[in-house]
Amino acid sequence: MSESESESVSHESTSSSGMVCAECQQPAELKCSACKLVAYCCKEHQKQHWKTHKSLCRPFEIQTSPELGRHLVATRDIAPGDLVLCENPLVYGPRPHIVEQGPVPCIGCFRLIIAEQSPRCDGCGWPVCHTACEGLKDPNNHGLECLILGLRTEGTINSFHDFYRQDTLMALRCLLLQKKGPKKWEQLLEMQSHIEQRGPNTEIYKLIEERIIKYFNENFFDRLHDMERRADQILIQEIEPELIQQICGIIDVNALEINQDGELSALYPTAYLLEHSCICNTYHIFEDATQNFKISVRAAVPIKKGEHISTMYTHALWGTQARREHLRETKYFNCQCRRCKDPTELGTYLSALRCIGVDDAPCGGIQLPIDPCDDKTEWACNKCEVKLSNDEVAFLVNKIGEEVDFVQLSDPTVKEMRELLDKILTFLHPHHYHVYSVKHSLVQLYGYQHGYLPNQISDELLIKKADMCRELIEITKTIDPGNARLPLYLGVVLHELFLANAFYVKRKWHVENKKDLVLLVDEATKSLAEAKAVLKTESSPAGQKLRSLLASSNKELRNWMDRYKDELETIRKEMGESSTS
């Protein structure tokens, strides 16, 4: 928590609790909004007491272990929604990924632009969204680097993605901290770079040497040295190749991606210490550029005193093989969380296969890894003696994944998606993560695509869609119990369950058992309310669009329920009397 955050107070009456000001011991009504453990009679006394309270306010301490390195441990019980930490980034910039073609982020505000068609920064000539972009003047953003990027005398109108390399700028901004933010620079160097795994013989080392170090030296740093000598002033103190390799390692291992209007990454002074868990207990929200991309980390589920505080650095809907491989390649560790250790992934079977049996005669069993945390483990059937190697499973799952991606990206029809689902179910468990992906797409096609519109879709398919939604909801809640990682996925399925029920009830209200239909109405009402709650922290454009759809759906439901209000009340009364008799 920063000095500015300490000024935030919660206006809660303390007359019943008898709390007194931590500074002057007089009756106090203003609690610290972060921890709510102390109170103050005024904001001035809160500011004065901050130096004393600062170390006690945050609900965690930094501990060190040989296995995890530095990590965060809760120092008190933390309730869902409670603030764990809130801080501004040390540095942020365009996401350090390789862009060969297509849109690139503006170096001032990070909104995606078409470089070849965009105006140029007046200072350095780099493509920007607008010459008046506010980020271009910000000394903590493009302001200082502009001088260095403008040292290259020649310009280009071709080969933009080779000439203007946004993927290098995050490293440059880190290097500039040496002079403009020494304290931030020290904090940056405390971060793990895993440079020992990124040595001269590795592909990542060679890539950085070619794409960043060589690019900097040939285009900017040689001229920078000349300018520094003439001006007798140093802008960047150290620019040795090994330091740049270390900085790139720090960025790759610790930077968080911010998905808002553009593409950027940021390094935070404390948030990087959140350890990984495939069932994490926090979620985080980024403020926008006006708030300097401040991050707020909150508890997603109850966190007990002494528990480790975690986030997730991979995709929650990947299977164990895929998650662990991603973490090894990008974060350089092997995950040993309870989800990874469980062959069934907490009973979801997200990685499970159908047993192929012997001689094309499936036994009906399920193939699961004997030890999912062993990269050489065998996969065994729970009904017969058939076993598969981990490599065989990886090959099969990757091939199926490629086909699923291909079909989903080709604007598929319902027929094509159903054929794909039937095909992959020959090899995969009905809850496998590739099956989940196809079903998640399919429930969004039912009711929307021509031939399956609300007035066209069959009763059977509406029932099937609702069942599919319930299945996906159960899986999603199991692997993301606090809605930390999958609120959009869950919100979509909850809304689709509402639609399936609503279409069916309206169609059958006058021809089927109304007590059964009232249960569907209640489930639809609950689904809408839950979707709204799930999406309350979802700031993406997709989340905003879905919230708008929920509001429209809720209005339609209320109108229908008002129309049949008396009848619904009578049926519910009968159902209540029946259940108590």
Side-chain angles (χ1 to χ4, degrees), residues 355-423:
C355 182
I356 58 175
V358 181
D359 298 327
D360 296 325
C363 69
I366 300 171
Q367 290 274 357
L368 288 170
I370 296 173
D371 180 2
C373 289
D374 179 1
D375 297 332
K376 298 185 183 300
T377 187
E378 285 188 311
W379 289 57
C381 177
N382 64 346
K383 285 192 175 181
C384 73
E385 299 300 317
V386 171
K387 290 184 179 180
L388 299 172
S389 71
N390 209 41
D391 288 342
E392 288 173 324
V393 172
F395 180 81
L396 173 65
V397 171
N398 288 339
K399 283 296 182 183
I400 292 175
E402 290 173 4
E403 185 169 1
V404 169
D405 290 343
F406 176 79
V407 174
Q408 288 184 322
L409 292 172
S410 61
D411 194 20
T413 63
V414 167
K415 182 176 181 293
E416 289 170 334
M417 289 300 288
R418 289 169 68 177
E419 289 175 348
L420 174 64
L421 181 60
D422 289 342
K423 180 178 180 180

Side-chain angles (χ1 to χ4, degrees), residues 3-168:
E3 194 79 32
S4 62
E5 270 80 59
S6 75
E7 297 177 12
S8 174
V9 292
S10 174
H11 291 255
E12 300 182 16
S13 172
T14 60
S15 57
S16 61
S17 64
M19 294 187 75
V20 297
C21 177
E23 185 68 15
C24 69
Q25 308 306 307
Q26 295 301 309
E29 297 183 351
L30 306 177
K31 289 183 182 179
C32 170
S33 63
C35 68
K36 295 182 173 60
L37 297 177
V38 297
Y40 302 95
C41 63
C42 61
K43 290 186 177 182
E44 187 59 37
H45 278 190
Q46 186 184 30
K47 290 180 182 179
Q48 292 173 14
H49 190 251
W50 176 241
K51 286 186 178 180
T52 301
H53 180 55
K54 179 168 59 175
S55 61
L56 301 174
C57 182
R58 63 186 190 180
F60 63 85
E61 63 182 4
I62 300 173
Q63 294 187 3
T64 304
S65 74
E67 299 82 17
L68 299 173
R70 295 198 299 163
H71 56 279
L72 306 183
V73 176
T75 53
R76 62 173 181 268
D77 290 351
I78 309 173
D82 281 0
L83 185 68
V84 175
L85 66 89
C86 181
E87 60 187 2
N88 289 316
L90 299 173
V91 61
Y92 57 87
R95 192 173 299 165
H97 63 309
I98 298 170
V99 180
E100 298 296 345
Q101 58 184 354
V104 297
C106 166
I107 55 177
C109 66
F110 316 107
R111 286 195 293 268
L112 291 178
I113 59 174
I114 303 299
E116 294 87 342
Q117 302 170 11
S118 299
R120 309 291 192 87
C121 171
D122 293 334
C124 63
W126 277 52
V128 295
C129 67
H130 194 281
T131 54
C133 175
E134 287 296 319
L136 301 181
K137 304 172 186 177
D138 183 357
N140 294 317
N141 197 6
H142 180 63
L144 185 56
E145 75 190 7
C146 184
L147 176 64
I148 296 172
L149 297 178
L151 291 173
R152 185 168 51 186
T153 55
E154 71 276 13
T156 184
I157 57 174
N158 299 309
S159 304
F160 266 72
H161 302 290
D162 292 327
F163 198 82
Y164 299 110
R165 297 278 305 287
Q166 280 87 346
D167 61 304
T168 67

Side-chain angles (χ1 to χ4, degrees), residues 498-499 503 506 551-561:
F498 157 79
L499 291 174
F503 293 157
K506 289 179 182 180
S552 176
S553 295
N554 188 56
K555 184 178 180 181
E556 292 177 15
L557 177 63
R558 293 301 164 193
N559 288 339
W560 186 88
M561 291 177 70

Side-chain angles (χ1 to χ4, degrees), residues 193-210:
S193 66
H194 288 287
I195 197 68
E196 62 278 3
Q197 280 111 339
R198 300 164 59 98
N201 294 323
T202 62
E203 289 300 316
I204 188 66
Y205 187 96
K206 297 172 184 176
L207 186 66
I208 290 169
E209 195 171 41
E210 178 67 26

Side-chain angles (χ1 to χ4, degrees), residues 66 151 297 457:
L151 291 173
V297 178
I457 191 170

